[in-house]
Amino acid sequence: MNQPKYKLSILLLFIVLLIILPACNSSTVAGTEGKADAKDAKAKFTVSVANMGLSNLHVIKEKGWLEEELAKIGADVEWSNHPAGPPINEGLASKRIDLAVLGEGAILSGINNKLDVKLVSLLSNGLYGVNYLIVPANSDIKEIADLKGKKIGVQLGTSHHVFLLKALKTADLQLDDVKAVNLVITDAQPAFQTGQLDAWVTADPFAQIELNKNGAKLIASGESLDVVSPTFYIARGAFAKEHPEAVEIFLKVIDRALQLEKENHEEFITLAAKNSGRDRALIETFASNAKYENNPPSEEILKQLQDSADILTDLGYLTEKLDIKPYVDNTYIEGIRK
């Protein structure tokens, strides 16, 4: 064997290995780090929460409870405020909203439009504080029958829309018998105050402003007509499936807010007023009228929601007959009760 050539080959092989091995190790480490970074990036996400003026959510936001708990699973929180359900439906459809509160009208409208939504807990049966049919202080309207031919402000596709249909039905009237003016609350309030509307269907705290401060008169309410209008905590379906732990955390902090209201009502009202920017006395009235909960909906509540769906379908406001049960998912609320 030619020893010089053999030694030279060994030397060259050794040099090549010195060059290649660190590169391979570096590549392996870089690849591992890349995968770790990708995993970390995937783990972090943002939860978009929409509030429709709910005192509970104002308190939760002011306390920072949701941010605190979601941070434990690598999530941030993004809050938004909305005066009614339709814009929340739009946010759900475009995946800009993950968790929210919706009333029956917006829920049924969303389902009718194939919205990916799950009803994860009952907020309220809506008998109190949700629906008021009011008229100006100087109005000669005394009862529902007097509304025939009158201009009524109501946002179509909301719980107020459903309530108005049910209220009119008690006087053998239909929506065609009145002049329904489709207005969001922020537009309906000045229209009502300036006499452009003969009546208005609204909710607290707006109803209390008109009744207690401006002398408006109450013609009917959910309580007076015994008409429930269930409101739910809802989740975007795909979001709930991907992040069930975030939905459960959301419901847990709602329980926490309900507990605070029971144990320290004054602090609860103060926090809600501060975060909402509304008058404290108004928030007090609103909170007293509302009967908030956080529970699986009863069969009776679901029947009421189904009845509303059937009414809207019969009248042509929904394009097809709906079955609401597939949209109810008690997994999350029952999960935190174990």
Side-chain angles (χ1 to χ4, degrees), residues 215-237:
K217 295 183 290 187
L218 179 66
I219 299 301
S221 67
E223 184 179 7
S224 71
L225 297 181
D226 195 29
V227 172
V228 301
S229 183
T231 304
F232 293 82
Y233 296 106
I234 62 93
R236 184 166 56 82

Side-chain angles (χ1 to χ4, degrees), residues 55-56 58-59 62 257 260-262 264-289 292:
S55 296
N56 284 357
H58 282 305
V59 169
E62 188 64 28
L260 176 64
E261 184 178 14
K262 288 180 182 178
N264 195 333
H265 182 73
E266 289 301 308
E267 182 186 0
F268 179 90
I269 297 300
T270 299
L271 291 169
K274 179 181 178 182
N275 191 262
S276 67
R278 294 195 175 278
D279 181 74
R280 192 181 188 286
L282 199 61
I283 294 295
E284 175 71 63
T285 302
F286 187 18
S288 298
N289 288 339
Y292 295 149

